[in-house]
Every structure is written in C-alpha cells, then in structure tokens.
Amino acid sequence: MNKHTHVTQALLNTLEVDNPYTTEDLARILGVDPTSMLRKGVITRKGQDLLIILITLEKRSDATPYLDHLDGTVLHWEGQTRGKHAEKYMMEGTHEVFVFIREQPRMPYTYYGRAVPIRSILLDPGKSSKVELHLYEYEDKLERESPYQAPSMTHEGRGIYTSDHTETSRLTLARTAQGQYRKDALRLWGNRCAVTGVAEPKVLIASHIKPWRESSDEDRVNPKNSLILSPTYDKLFDLGFITFEPGNGKIEISRRLTLQDRDKLKVDDSQALNMIPQGTEHYLDYHRRHIFDFTPSQGKEEELLIV
C-alpha cells in the first residue's frame, strides 16, 4: 500500500519499533477516548486502513485464554471467536497491521512494528482462527543492530560465527553453511528420501522442518531440523499439505488436499518416515502445530512456488 489514511499515516510517523506505549499514548494518536480501548485485543477505526493488535502474554484469570506467543520474528496469533474482521483485513492486505506486545496486564506495550501474514487457518465463528505473522520491521531492526553472523558448521551442526565481512564474504559464508547443512542432513537421513527411499542425490532436497524465518541461529544449521525428501513430498511438506507424527513418523494429510490429487500424487495415509533421528521430534511437533493444515498467505505461497 502506497497511500494511507490520515490516522494510519500518523501511526507510521509517530511509532518507533521497540519503544514502549500505553493505551493512553495510542488513544491520543488515534484521537479516541482511552476508555474505548480497555480490554480490547484488536483495534480498527472506521474509514482508516489500520489494524492494531494488542497482545498480553500473561493473561488475566478472567480473560479469554488465547494462545498468542512470539517465536523469533514470527507472531502466532489466535483470532477472535466473533466478527473475524481482523483476519479478513489481514488476508486481503487492505490494512496495515501494527503489533504491540506486553508481558503482563497494566504494563506498557512494546511496539514490534508492522506485520504481514505468513499462513492461517480460518475457522467459522465460535472458534478462534489462527494467523502467523512476520514482524518484518522488528526483524529489520534486529538485523541492523546485530553484525551479520554466518555459520561455519562442524559435522555435528554447531555453528562457529564470524562477522565484519564484505558482502561477497557474507554470501560465500552463507553458501558454505547451506552446503554443509545439506551434507549433514543427508548423512543423518542415510542419503535417502525419508519417505520413499529414493537415493538419487540430485533429486533430494534438504528441507528445514521448522522454517528458516522462525528458527534460531542454532536451529538453522542443526541437521536435526531437517528432512530429506524427494521434490513432491518436499513441496507438500513446505506448503503444509502433509506432516509426520513426532512419535512414529506416520504421515498426516491435510483436508486441503483432495482425494483425487492424493491419488495422482501417490500420497496415502499408509506412508511414514523410515526413521526419526533423536532430537528431530520437537521440530516435527512444531511443524504439526504451526504449519500443517495452514493456508500460506499469497506472498508466502508465491515464494514457495516460484523457483
């Protein structure tokens, strides 16, 4: 969006990422009575292209127990049980999404910047939808404040970090780390697709189970956070059409994948991972809870589908 309504523009001109704000501060910027914002988690204004999300991580005993939480620069947000206007605005991309988070009630909120949806499960009224949002301005701030650290991995997947390199050196280090990650992942999974057993290395893909954006530096280079898959299964896994149970590796297939497409893709519920390396279970659990059965946002879907 290029041109904003006046209140949205006032927020953009006033707010600074990582700064504290009270509801009174926000009410003053929005030009509303502070009491109108009490105990609200979503704020919009008629005729304005803004959507403010207010999150308190430690809920009051009498509050609706939404399971919102922050994972790096990704916000896992449970939508409202009624209305659903916030999810609609997010998915349509018509509103700027401003995110404020605090640990406990009565504390000021910290502004985490604007966000865009990555993926969602939109449910009928009466049930909380789930939306996962990328806090891109917060991520930009973290990257500006921290020197680039490209990992040079040992065979165990632990990173040795260096900084202060030229752009060329940074790219070289990143490619080296990615190449080492793939080698470690192939070794861990026996140089075969974890589902089909295909062993031709040129068609095997080392896929992060917990996505790169949502991973810590350690998770990004840890081969335990990997699956070796042939292209069809890799794409289905990344897009949340399939997942695998952390305990026994049994495949689960999303209701979004039709029976006809399952047959054509030769995917069925009798399949399973041929093994689960120790330490991979909690990554599979993350995928099952936060990626499987979610619908990627248009931008994220394009990122995954355009090579």
Side-chain angles (χ1 to χ4, degrees):
M1 291 179 287
N2 296 318
K3 188 175 181 180
H4 298 292
T5 55
H6 72 280
V7 178
T8 304
Q9 193 61 53
L11 288 170
L12 293 172
N13 293 341
T14 306
L15 299 174
E16 292 187 28
V17 176
D18 218 22
N19 277 11
Y21 295 91
T22 65
T23 51
E24 289 79 10
D25 294 330
L26 294 176
R28 185 173 59 254
I29 300 170
L30 295 171
V32 299
D33 183 345
T35 60
S36 68
M37 300 178 60
L38 293 176
R39 304 193 69 177
K40 285 191 175 179
V42 174
I43 296 171
T44 58
R45 280 199 60 186
K46 187 175 181 180
Q48 303 294 322
D49 60 339
L50 62 89
L51 172 63
I52 295 176
I53 298 177
L54 300 172
I55 293 173
T56 303
L57 297 178
E58 186 178 311
K59 309 297 184 186
R60 294 162 51 113
S61 59
D62 59 345
T64 304
Y66 295 119
L67 300 178
D68 307 319
H69 69 281
L70 190 62
D71 197 340
T73 60
V74 172
L75 173 64
H76 303 279
W77 180 73
E78 286 200 354
Q80 297 171 305
T81 55
R82 294 178 293 176
K84 307 283 185 179
H85 58 278
E87 295 91 328
K88 176 176 178 288
Y89 295 152
M90 288 178 191
M91 294 305 108
E92 292 177 350
T94 55
H95 288 51
E96 291 282 6
V97 182
F98 299 86
V99 176
F100 296 81
I101 302 175
R102 64 183 178 184
E103 290 292 328
Q104 298 175 332
R106 297 190 177 90
M107 292 177 63
Y109 291 93
T110 297
Y111 178 50
Y112 277 78
R114 287 177 288 171
V116 292
I118 301 171
R119 52 185 175 264
S120 61
I121 294 179
L122 302 182
L123 301 175
D124 294 332
K127 296 181 179 178
S128 296
S129 296
K130 298 180 181 180
V131 183
E132 315 219 324
L133 300 142
H134 176 212
L135 301 168
Y136 65 93
E137 290 188 318
Y138 177 61
E139 181 177 72
D140 288 345
K141 184 176 189 296
L142 294 179
E143 289 179 349
R144 287 195 304 271
E145 293 177 349
S146 301
Y148 177 82
Q149 295 182 321
S152 172
M153 297 188 304
T154 66
H155 68 280
E156 292 88 4
R158 288 189 285 271
I160 302 171
Y161 297 100
T162 59
S163 60
D164 298 326
H165 290 274
T166 64
E167 186 64 24
T168 300
S169 297
R170 287 150 63 111
L171 290 172
T172 300
L173 286 167
R175 287 171 182 152
T176 300
Q178 290 166 2
Q180 187 61 51
Y181 170 81
R182 173 179 166 81
K183 290 177 183 176
D184 291 340
L186 282 166
R187 186 181 301 113
L188 180 69
W189 288 95
N191 296 291
R192 295 177 180 275
C193 171
V195 177
T196 64
V198 169
E200 172 49 62
K202 292 180 182 178
V203 302
L204 297 177
I205 300 170
S207 183
H208 282 86
I209 300 171
K210 184 177 183 180
W212 177 273
R213 178 178 286 150
E214 293 149 63
S215 294
S216 65
D217 287 338
E218 182 179 353
D219 290 336
R220 289 174 176 179
V221 298
N222 187 350
K224 303 281 179 73
N225 183 25
S226 74
L227 268 182
I228 296 297
L229 296 169
S230 50
T232 296
Y233 287 87
D234 174 75
K235 192 63 66 178
L236 292 172
F237 187 76
D238 273 354
L239 289 167
F241 283 113
I242 62 172
T243 194
F244 302 95
E245 293 184 16
N248 57 22
K250 184 174 173 56
I251 196 170
E252 291 186 59
I253 305 172
S254 170
R255 60 181 181 275
R256 296 186 294 123
L257 197 63
T258 66
L259 290 174
Q260 292 86 344
D261 284 341
R262 291 188 196 186
D263 289 341
K264 291 174 182 177
L265 291 166
K266 298 186 176 0
V267 176
D268 64 71
D269 57 13
S270 69
Q271 295 169 313
L273 297 177
N274 54 37
M275 64 175 222
I276 301 178
Q278 186 176 5
T280 296
E281 303 94 331
H282 75 276
Y283 293 114
L284 289 173
D285 182 61
Y286 184 93
H287 186 277
R288 192 180 184 205
R289 290 185 294 113
H290 295 296
I291 299 170
F292 175 63
D293 226 12
F294 279 73
T295 300
S297 66
Q298 183 176 347
K300 181 61 178 176
E301 191 168 52
E302 289 173 352
E303 179 184 319
L304 290 169
L305 293 176
I306 296 174
V307 179

